[in-house]
Each structure stands twice: as C-alpha cells, then as structure tokens.
Amino acid sequence: MSHLKLNLFECKNNTFKRNLILQGLKGSGKSVLCKHICNLISSRPYNAFYQYINCQNFMSKTSDTIHEQLKLVYQECLWYENTPCLVVLENIDLL
C-alpha cells in the first residue's frame, strides 16, 4: 500500500496526467481499491473531487444520452478548477 500512496502524491503534483485502466479477474478487488483511493483523496490533504459511476445504469440508454451524462460529469470536474478530480467508470465493458 505504500507504493500506492507514493503514486497518489505524484498525482497531486501533476506529474501523472493520464488515464488509468485497472483490469483483473472478477472478485480481485478492483472496485474496493478504487473506492479506497476515492476515500483517501477526498479527505485532507488532497480534498479532491471524485465521481463514481456504475456504467450498468447506462445499459438501456442511447449513446447520445450516455454522452450527454458523461459530458456533465466532466464539466463538473472542470468546475473544480484547482482541485484534483477522479472519475471512476465501473463496469465500462458493459457499454
């Protein structure tokens, strides 16, 4: 877990400017890890903003609707200009 904390510090200092895809077998703890990271960065000293989105809720929607809803999420992240933001898309493979 100490290596994970080091990477979070690097994110805070804007040295990590990419997307991250977490993959693994079902039940390997990907969701638990993401939720733990969200809880860590939303508290001090980071005070980051995060959105945790389960893409299973989008299954019956059109691509235009999905696009608009995700656009709103990212616009909200832009509103938090000087705050680190994290968007977690759970079950994105269902889209």
Side-chain angles (χ1 to χ4, degrees):
M1 197 56 118
S2 62
H3 180 67
L4 177 63
K5 289 180 183 175
L6 175 64
N7 288 340
L8 287 175
F9 286 120
E10 290 173 5
C11 292
K12 175 69 174 163
N13 295 329
N14 293 325
T15 59
F16 186 72
K17 295 181 179 180
R18 307 178 207 146
N19 298 322
L20 176 67
I21 297 177
L22 216 63
Q23 66 179 22
L25 298 174
K26 187 174 184 174
S28 62
K30 300 176 297 291
S31 298
V32 172
L33 177 63
C34 286
K35 288 177 184 177
H36 181 69
I37 291 171
C38 289
N39 287 332
L40 278 176
I41 67 168
S42 65
S43 59
R44 292 179 190 244
Y46 304 110
N47 293 328
F49 170 76
Y50 74 90
Q51 285 280 347
Y52 195 87
I53 300 165
N54 191 344
C55 293
Q56 191 171 8
N57 298 333
F58 295 143
M59 284 183 59
S60 62
K61 301 193 180 189
T62 65
S63 60
D64 289 336
T65 304
I66 295 169
H67 180 266
E68 286 302 315
Q69 289 181 347
L70 290 177
K71 186 176 166 183
L72 289 173
V73 169
Y74 286 105
Q75 285 175 342
E76 189 173 5
C77 288
L78 290 174
W79 189 80
Y80 291 95
E81 228 177 294
N82 298 318
T83 305
C85 296
L86 175 67
V87 176
V88 177
L89 300 173
E90 177 78 26
N91 295 320
I92 195 168
D93 57 325
L94 296 176
L95 295 181

